[in-house]
Amino acid sequence: TFCYEAGPTGYGLHRLIESLGHTCLVVAPSLVPKKAGDRVKTNRRDAEGLAKLLRAGELTAVWVPDERHEAMRELARARDAARQDLTRKRQQVSSMLLRMGLHYPGIKTWGARHRTWLANLKLEHGEQRFVLEELLQAERQAGERIARLEQAIRAAVTDWSLAAMVPALMAMRGIDLVSAVTILAEIGDLTRFKNPRQLMAYLGLVPSDRSTGETVNRGPITKAGN
């Protein structure tokens, strides 16, 4: 039996060991027991510690997705990164206009009227106009990138192993197809949780608890999930 901590290298090593006929566990680093006061960290000590904890049954294994599910997760995360990039691009435009004392008189930004207002702005210096056009072009390209990624998600979900769960999540208010795919790509198969409490604990939506004796102290949610 083999084990190693989950990290940025993915699950290729796990699949290789399993294909050779051995058992392999990918363990959650945050749930590996640590000795208080242990300040020496080497590869050998880490390996020996994991071996002892594995023998004692003290390690918590993470759910390992198959290659197709991992590919869907990459697609969902790429869309999320593109959305964050679009937000940054729009903040750059807003910051530049704020420095120049220009304020949009309307209410809703980045609609058709707002874009028309941006295109018709009269700036005093040509350098400012050039910078603004570059920022607006970057914003448009970021929006087009999101559209392409969302289209790829819609095309890929049809033959996905969790495709049947997508419309079930979409039945809840505020969740569209992209949101449902993102949730399932990060969490995985929901049936691996025995009850809703396990799912809530996995997501970190349960209160922290520091109770002793008859004193019960409930704190904020743990936020242990992704």
Side-chain angles (χ1 to χ4, degrees), residues 172-189:
M172 292 187 289
R173 180 177 298 178
I175 298 182
D176 61 358
L177 185 142
V178 175
S179 299
V181 171
T182 302
I183 293 172
L184 292 174
E186 292 296 337
I187 299 178
D189 189 1

Side-chain angles (χ1 to χ4, degrees), residues 22-97:
H22 304 292
T23 302
C24 181
L25 276 70
V26 183
V27 301
S30 60
L31 300 180
V32 175
K34 304 290 185 181
K35 292 182 179 180
D38 188 1
R39 299 179 181 274
V40 179
K41 177 178 174 59
T42 64
N43 290 339
R44 183 179 183 85
R45 285 172 63 91
D46 288 346
E48 290 179 350
L50 285 176
K52 293 177 180 178
L53 293 171
L54 177 62
R55 181 179 59 185
E58 296 293 332
L59 295 178
T60 302
V62 302
W63 178 71
V64 178
D66 56 33
E67 294 185 5
R68 177 64 196 286
H69 187 100
E70 194 172 9
M72 286 294 293
R73 180 179 292 177
E74 293 289 348
L75 187 59
R77 289 180 176 178
R79 186 264 176 192
D80 183 62
R83 190 70 191 178
Q84 295 177 12
D85 183 55
L86 176 63
T87 301
R88 287 192 295 267
K89 295 292 189 299
R90 290 179 173 179
Q91 288 176 344
Q92 290 174 357
V93 175
S94 300
S95 298
M96 179 181 178
L97 296 179

Side-chain angles (χ1 to χ4, degrees), residues 116-127:
T116 301
W117 178 80
L118 290 172
N120 295 330
L121 280 176
K122 302 298 183 181
L123 303 181
E124 183 177 357
H125 302 286
E127 294 84 357

